[in-house]
Amino acid sequence: MKINCDGLSLSEATLKVIKAAGSKTVNPVLEGIKLTAKNDELILFATDKELSIEKRIKAVVMEDGEAVVYGRVFCEFVKSLTNEEIELSVNENNVLKIKYSENEAEFNCFDVEDYPKQKEIEEENVIQLKGKALKNLIQKTTFCAALDDARPILKGCLFEKEKGLVRAVCLDGYRMGIAEEKAGEEGKDCKIIVPVKSLNEILKFIEEEDVDVFMVIEKNYMMINFGTATIITTLLTGEYINYRQILPAQTETKVTVKKDLFERALERANLLSRADKNNYVNFEIEEKNITVLAKSELGTVTECIPMAMDGKDLEIKFNVRFVYDAIKAIDSDYVDISLNGSINPCIIEANDIKNSLYLILPVRKFN
Amino acid sequence: MKINCDGLSLSEATLKVIKAAGSKTVNPVLEGIKLTAKNDELILFATDKELSIEKRIKAVVMEDGEAVVYGRVFCEFVKSLTNEEIELSVNENNVLKIKYSENEAEFNCFDVEDYPKQKEIEEENVIQLKGKALKNLIQKTTFCAALDDARPILKGCLFEKEKGLVRAVCLDGYRMGIAEEKAGEEGKDCKIIVPVKSLNEILKFIEEEDVDVFMVIEKNYMMINFGTATIITTLLTGEYINYRQILPAQTETKVTVKKDLFERALERANLLSRADKNNYVNFEIEEKNITVLAKSELGTVTECIPMAMDGKDLEIKFNVRFVYDAIKAIDSDYVDISLNGSINPCIIEANDIKNSLYLILPVRKFN
């Protein structure tokens, strides 16, 4: 391999693909970035076997070739060469040489044969949506996914395409987030479960909100192409929780409250309740106010927030963090909270456009 | 105690004094902030017994009084009240009540009697300098101080006032940084050793560069007054290393090099040499170039930097981080490096204004 390329493009591309490289893996070659020179392009590729990212940049290719370089140091190194014209070459000892100005660096490489091949995806189905829609689906749900490995499927996000809509669902056993967006015309109805970790990387590639994004599906894989970058992620297999069954059929108490007032009160309640891991907040819903009360060894905070209410008075306790996250994720001046007594879950959603919804289980323990 | 004050002033003051509060101390009361209301002021005070910070803000005092509140949570709490008018009061159970809008929070307080008193400083001597001068002395030397506790005195910075100059010196046994600034007229010649940790906090209080700063000294304490804020630090006792003795008397090789080229080369050398804790860089000084060479398991980097030279050719190895830190701290287009063979320390300083100097020991190990 022997090529010339621009330092800035190389640095930007390296920073993008490094996100898919493994760190501290049992198999060190997965900490590498694979470089492939052919057809006037340098292709950078990294994978941890769950997620893979490929990015192509323009290059003057004098000799085709491949190399797998240790990712993190290479990435930091080229970051300091953004103003340089760079020559990359690989010698017979599998050493990558970087020339810039009068200087040069050499990187010992992994054996290319040991590096996993890029999976080829055969399109079996596709979910089409706008960049902005995919962004919303990810941002409004993934914080509700499980973080621990107790039930691996809950570390994924269900994408369900049905009747012209795409619905994203995440839940961790204590709370659930659902968001909905219009689907494009291509592809048939389907359900897939995408690892949240992959979605958080995909999010960073959505630069244009109005562009069409195609989630190309083949059995246990999903691919998205963003111009010169291609992302492939494995899908989680198994049956997702039947989330519809969890949604309550009735509402005894319905509250409408100003989002910013409620959010700031929860922020302060969170500070105090967090202080001694006693992480809950009490809501007293009565007449014209919600009284937010949080207590810990350190002290108490009591805030009275005006609201509009329909139905029965109620006292109920929640994990303050879960309510705060939900309120924060809603883009609306007012939020609606639907409740059914003190031991059933509540539903939180925007007062106007109902394209996302949060369900939160109350805390039953009293103190 | 009962006062009214503005949320923004309270929040800003709390953020300043919290830096002196202890964290995870054996004595939890030191994690507190002491509030004192008197004479139309609220005085906030925190100390970890080494450093103390006091800050005064305007308040409408309806009733004098004191309270010691747990610092970190109080600080975060008032940060969310910057738009509010606040009422603070302490009841007979030593609970601090914060009222804002229609809401209130209560903080359980420490016993005021358990909190250390603010030390009163009787001026025995003073070092007078401009804000900018003190800033320079701190920024140009403290990174050379020791980080570990092997020799506690090396965690301090020597301030030496002599012949109208103030000299700051830090060293860790492998490198030394010296900076010099003009002293104001007040006070007599002296030597004090100030903990670097305290200097780094003092640095944040120097807002105006042209203002006169007075380091007021009483035996083992030093006080600086910045308008409504007062900082007191303990001084380190004991004899500081005789740094003059370490400075080499002669120069066999003198090199002048462009700072930015050298700095960037060292940055890259650091990346590669850091990669396997083999933290050194080789300089080959010959004819018109310094050849910078760093090596590790991952690879090598070789950069050739043009220079002007006087004296003998030389090959020498240094800890790359130490050279990089020194070069980075120098504000000048060109730097001078003075050397004496491959086993004696080098001196690095600006090519123009010689108000700071770095001495670095070479690495003797070869590989």
Side-chain angles (χ1 to χ4, degrees):
Chain A
M1 170 165 116
K2 192 170 176 184
I3 67 152
N4 284 333
C5 71
D6 158 52
L8 183 61
S9 316
L10 181 63
S11 173
E12 285 177 349
T14 310
L15 279 168
K16 289 235 164 183
V17 301
I18 190 75
K19 301 293 183 183
S23 60
K24 294 178 201 150
T25 56
V26 273
N27 188 1
V29 76
L30 294 181
E31 297 175 38
I33 290 179
K34 185 178 176 185
L35 307 173
T36 306
K38 63 175 179 192
N39 308 334
D40 297 331
E41 279 188 333
L42 178 69
I43 305 164
L44 296 99
F45 175 71
T47 181
D48 61 1
K49 289 197 157 170
E50 182 172 290
L51 175 71
S52 72
I53 302 177
E54 181 190 277
K55 172 88 185 158
R56 298 177 296 284
I57 62 170
K58 273 189 197 154
V60 179
V61 177
M62 290 161 284
E63 199 184 299
D64 285 6
E66 298 177 322
V68 178
V69 69
Y70 180 73
R72 261 152 251 288
V73 171
F74 181 73
C75 182
E76 284 197 62
F77 197 88
V78 297
K79 217 158 74 176
S80 77
L81 300 177
T82 49
N83 295 319
E84 310 273 350
E85 261 309 302
I86 291 176
E87 182 190 295
L88 292 179
S89 61
V90 180
N91 71 12
E92 63 285 3
N93 297 321
N94 197 26
V95 169
L96 177 78
K97 190 176 277 189
I98 310 181
K99 285 196 187 170
Y100 49 100
S101 308
E102 304 301 302
N103 308 314
E104 63 178 47
E106 291 184 343
F107 284 85
N108 302 324
C109 291
F110 294 103
D111 196 332
V112 174
E113 297 305 314
D114 295 339
Y115 199 76
K117 295 270 169 294
Q118 164 86 302
K119 163 91 185 139
E120 301 279 340
I121 300 292
E122 300 233 359
E123 179 173 329
E124 291 176 356
N125 191 19
V126 71
I127 299 176
Q128 178 191 0
L129 15 77
K130 291 288 176 198
K132 191 184 167 68
L134 180 56
K135 213 169 174 174
N136 270 342
L137 292 178
I138 297 172
Q139 286 177 329
K140 288 184 176 284
T141 60
T142 51
F143 65 86
C144 295
L147 296 171
D148 60 41
D149 292 309
R151 295 181 66 184
I153 209 157
L154 299 187
K155 292 176 86 178
C157 176
L158 172 71
F159 277 73
E160 185 180 57
K161 187 182 165 188
E162 196 185 36
K163 297 176 191 160
L165 290 174
V166 183
R167 194 170 300 117
V169 183
C170 284
L171 65 90
D172 66 1
Y174 304 100
R175 57 171 164 178
M176 174 165 74
I178 304 181
E180 233 172 42
E181 292 285 345
K182 244 175 80 180
E185 292 191 348
E186 282 206 41
K188 51 186 192 292
D189 286 0
C190 65
K191 283 185 195 178
I192 56 171
I193 307 164
V194 190
V196 164
K197 189 175 145 258
S198 301
L199 290 173
N200 289 335
E201 290 309 324
I202 287 169
L203 195 58
K204 297 174 195 156
F205 282 80
I206 307 173
E207 281 166 4
E208 287 172 74
E209 299 207 325
D210 200 42
V211 82
D212 281 303
V213 177
F214 297 89
M215 299 166 73
V216 178
I217 302 156
E218 179 205 321
K219 229 189 283 168
N220 301 330
Y221 291 91
M222 191 259 290
M223 178 186 78
I224 304 183
N225 203 313
F226 295 97
T228 57
T230 305
I231 302 180
I232 297 180
T233 172
T234 52
L235 298 176
L236 298 176
T237 52
E239 200 60 37
Y240 200 74
I241 314 293
N242 181 352
Y243 68 89
R244 284 188 177 83
Q245 203 176 286
I246 309 168
L247 293 169
Q250 59 179 58
T251 298
E252 276 186 1
T253 310
K254 185 159 177 191
V255 168
T256 301
V257 64
K258 206 154 187 289
K259 173 193 145 101
D260 64 342
L261 281 181
F262 197 39
E263 187 179 328
R264 285 208 301 273
L266 289 166
E267 202 182 325
R268 287 185 283 263
N270 184 35
L271 270 178
L272 262 173
S273 65
R274 199 182 65 192
D276 58 0
K277 286 168 193 164
N278 159 16
N279 211 20
Y280 45 93
V281 63
N282 189 79
F283 295 144
E284 207 179 295
I285 297 163
E286 205 178 37
E287 289 180 26
K288 294 184 171 146
N289 294 302
I290 303 188
T291 307
V292 173
L293 171 70
K295 245 188 206 176
S296 75
E297 272 178 20
L298 293 173
T300 59
V301 54
T302 318
E303 303 211 7
C304 217
I305 298 148
M307 60 160 188
M309 178 179 129
D310 198 12
K312 289 188 195 167
D313 290 354
L314 180 65
E315 191 176 335
I316 189 167
K317 283 181 165 55
F318 288 104
N319 180 316
V320 55
R321 185 81 222 172
F322 294 170
V323 185
Y324 177 65
D325 286 348
I327 297 294
K328 214 177 153 190
I330 292 173
D331 301 321
S332 177
D333 290 345
Y334 288 87
V335 291
D336 286 351
I337 309 173
S338 307
L339 302 119
N340 277 297
S342 63
I343 59 165
N344 293 310
C346 78
I347 297 284
I348 301 178
E349 56 195 331
N351 175 253
D352 43 17
I353 305 161
K354 309 280 189 198
N355 60 357
S356 68
L357 167 160
Y358 300 96
L359 174 144
I360 302 169
L361 289 181
V363 178
R364 297 211 197 180
K365 192 176 151 197
F366 282 74
N367 73 335
Chain B
M1 172 165 115
K2 191 170 178 185
I3 67 150
N4 284 330
C5 71
D6 158 52
L8 183 61
S9 316
L10 180 63
S11 172
E12 286 176 350
T14 310
L15 280 168
K16 290 235 163 180
V17 301
I18 190 75
K19 302 293 184 184
S23 59
K24 294 178 200 149
T25 55
V26 271
N27 188 1
V29 76
L30 294 181
E31 297 175 38
I33 290 179
K34 184 177 175 185
L35 307 173
T36 307
K38 62 176 178 190
N39 307 334
D40 296 331
E41 279 187 332
L42 179 69
I43 305 164
L44 296 99
F45 175 71
T47 182
D48 61 2
K49 288 196 159 172
E50 182 172 291
L51 175 70
S52 71
I53 302 177
E54 181 191 279
K55 172 90 185 155
R56 296 176 297 283
I57 63 170
K58 273 190 196 155
V60 178
V61 177
M62 290 161 282
E63 198 185 301
D64 285 6
E66 298 176 323
V68 178
V69 68
Y70 180 73
R72 262 153 249 288
V73 171
F74 181 73
C75 183
E76 286 198 60
F77 198 88
V78 296
K79 218 160 73 179
S80 76
L81 300 177
T82 50
N83 294 319
E84 310 271 351
E85 262 307 303
I86 291 175
E87 182 190 296
L88 293 179
S89 60
V90 180
N91 70 14
E92 64 284 3
N93 297 321
N94 196 25
V95 169
L96 177 77
K97 189 176 278 189
I98 309 180
K99 285 197 187 172
Y100 49 100
S101 308
E102 304 301 301
N103 307 314
E104 64 179 47
E106 291 184 343
F107 285 85
N108 301 325
C109 291
F110 294 102
D111 196 332
V112 174
E113 297 306 312
D114 294 340
Y115 199 74
K117 294 272 169 290
Q118 165 85 302
K119 163 92 184 139
E120 301 279 339
I121 301 290
E122 299 234 359
E123 180 174 329
E124 290 175 358
N125 191 18
V126 72
I127 299 177
Q128 178 191 0
L129 15 77
K130 291 286 175 197
K132 190 184 169 70
L134 180 57
K135 212 168 173 173
N136 271 342
L137 293 178
I138 297 173
Q139 286 177 329
K140 289 187 177 282
T141 59
T142 50
F143 65 87
C144 295
L147 295 171
D148 59 41
D149 292 309
R151 295 181 67 184
I153 209 156
L154 299 185
K155 294 177 84 178
C157 175
L158 173 70
F159 276 73
E160 187 179 56
K161 187 182 166 190
E162 196 184 39
K163 296 174 192 160
L165 290 173
V166 183
R167 195 171 300 118
V169 183
C170 285
L171 65 88
D172 66 2
Y174 305 99
R175 57 171 164 176
M176 173 165 74
I178 304 182
E180 232 170 47
E181 293 284 346
K182 243 176 78 181
E185 293 192 347
E186 283 207 41
K188 51 186 192 290
D189 286 0
C190 63
K191 283 185 194 177
I192 56 171
I193 308 165
V194 190
V196 163
K197 191 176 145 255
S198 300
L199 289 172
N200 288 334
E201 291 307 324
I202 287 169
L203 195 57
K204 297 175 194 156
F205 282 79
I206 307 173
E207 282 166 3
E208 287 172 72
E209 300 206 325
D210 200 43
V211 84
D212 280 303
V213 176
F214 297 89
M215 298 165 74
V216 178
I217 302 156
E218 179 205 320
K219 227 189 285 170
N220 301 329
Y221 292 91
M222 192 258 289
M223 179 187 78
I224 303 183
N225 203 313
F226 295 97
T228 56
T230 304
I231 302 180
I232 297 179
T233 173
T234 52
L235 298 175
L236 298 176
T237 52
E239 200 59 37
Y240 200 73
I241 314 293
N242 181 351
Y243 69 89
R244 284 187 177 83
Q245 202 176 286
I246 310 168
L247 292 169
Q250 57 179 57
T251 300
E252 276 187 0
T253 309
K254 184 159 176 189
V255 168
T256 301
V257 65
K258 205 155 188 288
K259 173 194 146 101
D260 63 342
L261 282 181
F262 197 41
E263 185 178 329
R264 284 208 300 274
L266 290 166
E267 200 181 327
R268 287 185 283 264
N270 183 36
L271 270 178
L272 262 173
S273 66
R274 198 182 64 191
D276 59 1
K277 287 169 195 164
N278 160 16
N279 213 20
Y280 45 95
V281 64
N282 189 77
F283 295 143
E284 207 179 294
I285 297 163
E286 204 178 38
E287 289 180 27
K288 295 184 170 144
N289 294 302
I290 303 189
T291 306
V292 173
L293 172 70
K295 245 188 205 175
S296 75
E297 272 179 19
L298 294 173
T300 59
V301 55
T302 320
E303 302 212 8
C304 218
I305 298 147
M307 60 160 186
M309 179 179 127
D310 197 12
K312 290 190 194 165
D313 289 355
L314 180 65
E315 192 176 335
I316 189 167
K317 283 182 164 55
F318 288 103
N319 179 316
V320 56
R321 186 79 225 174
F322 294 170
V323 185
Y324 176 66
D325 285 349
I327 298 294
K328 215 176 152 190
I330 292 173
D331 302 322
S332 177
D333 291 345
Y334 289 88
V335 291
D336 287 351
I337 310 173
S338 307
L339 302 120
N340 277 299
S342 64
I343 58 164
N344 292 312
C346 79
I347 296 284
I348 301 178
E349 54 195 333
N351 176 254
D352 43 17
I353 304 162
K354 309 279 189 199
N355 60 357
S356 68
L357 167 160
Y358 300 95
L359 175 144
I360 302 170
L361 288 181
V363 178
R364 296 211 197 181
K365 193 178 151 193
F366 281 75
N367 72 338

